[in-house]
Amino acid sequence: MSRIAKNSINISESVTCKFENGSFHAKGKLGEMSLAVNELFKVEINENEIYVLPKDEKDKLNPNWGTTRAIIANIINGVTNGFTKTLELNGTGYRASITGKKLKLELGYSHDINFDIPEGIKINVEKQTTLKISGADKQQVGAIASKLKTLRKIEPYKGKLSLIHI
């Protein structure tokens, strides 16, 4: 039995949630997100708590129970507070800037890299070498950070990354 899945998820008054036809919807100050919940589980919403419960007794041993609860908790946290990742550019002449909906990166190549910022993601360039990626979807924020880190390979002699996670 999962210890995590038994716990309730607390929701603030600014978040509205509903569960109907096998999908969970949450709406908060940072946006709206939804999740198609596995048909083995149901979501019960009380005034300020959410419970993810298995429909059958044998599904209490299913590892997807805790995973479903964790994803719903991340959705609630995302529409309430959001998620951020900070990347730092390490290298001589490396810098970043934002022009419109594009992130311009100078990473030591003979050309600049223009990266399209997807919908729902905000990227702030605090200094020329520090990027702050934020958004409501935890998976999307992590995927964008990972994609930016692949634009320049690790330097083989010292093992330094051009983009490192702080």
Side-chain angles (χ1 to χ4, degrees), residues 29-47:
K29 63 180 180 182
L30 294 180
E32 185 174 349
M33 295 180 67
S34 63
L35 171 72
V37 179
N38 192 335
E39 67 251 1
L40 300 175
F41 307 108
K42 62 183 176 181
V43 178
E44 285 187 5
I45 302 171
N46 296 338
E47 293 92 37

Side-chain angles (χ1 to χ4, degrees), residues 45-119:
I45 302 171
N46 296 338
E47 293 92 37
N48 60 353
E49 288 185 330
I50 297 175
Y51 291 97
V52 179
L53 302 171
K55 289 183 179 176
D56 195 9
E57 189 69 29
K58 67 178 180 171
D59 291 327
K60 287 188 174 184
L61 299 175
N62 193 335
N64 287 330
W65 184 22
T67 303
T68 304
R69 186 243 177 235
I71 292 172
I72 290 175
N74 284 338
I75 288 174
I76 298 295
N77 191 12
V79 297
T80 306
N81 304 323
F83 295 97
T84 59
K85 287 200 180 259
T86 305
L87 297 178
E88 182 179 298
L89 294 165
N90 278 341
T92 306
Y94 290 6
R95 58 182 147 258
S97 63
I98 292 184
T99 55
K101 291 292 284 176
K102 289 192 183 262
L103 174 66
K104 180 182 169 188
L105 296 168
E106 298 175 25
L107 299 176
Y109 292 119
S110 61
H111 60 284
D112 296 342
I113 298 171
N114 291 321
F115 182 79
D116 293 325
I117 301 171
E119 194 69 32

Side-chain angles (χ1 to χ4, degrees), residues 2 18 20 33 40 44 74 77 80 96 99 102 108 121 125 130 134 145 154 159 162 165:
S2 176
K18 64 181 177 178
E20 50 187 33
M33 295 180 67
L40 300 175
E44 285 187 5
N74 284 338
N77 191 12
T80 306
T99 55
K102 289 192 183 262
I121 295 290
V125 179
T130 305
S134 60
I154 297 173
S162 61
H165 178 74

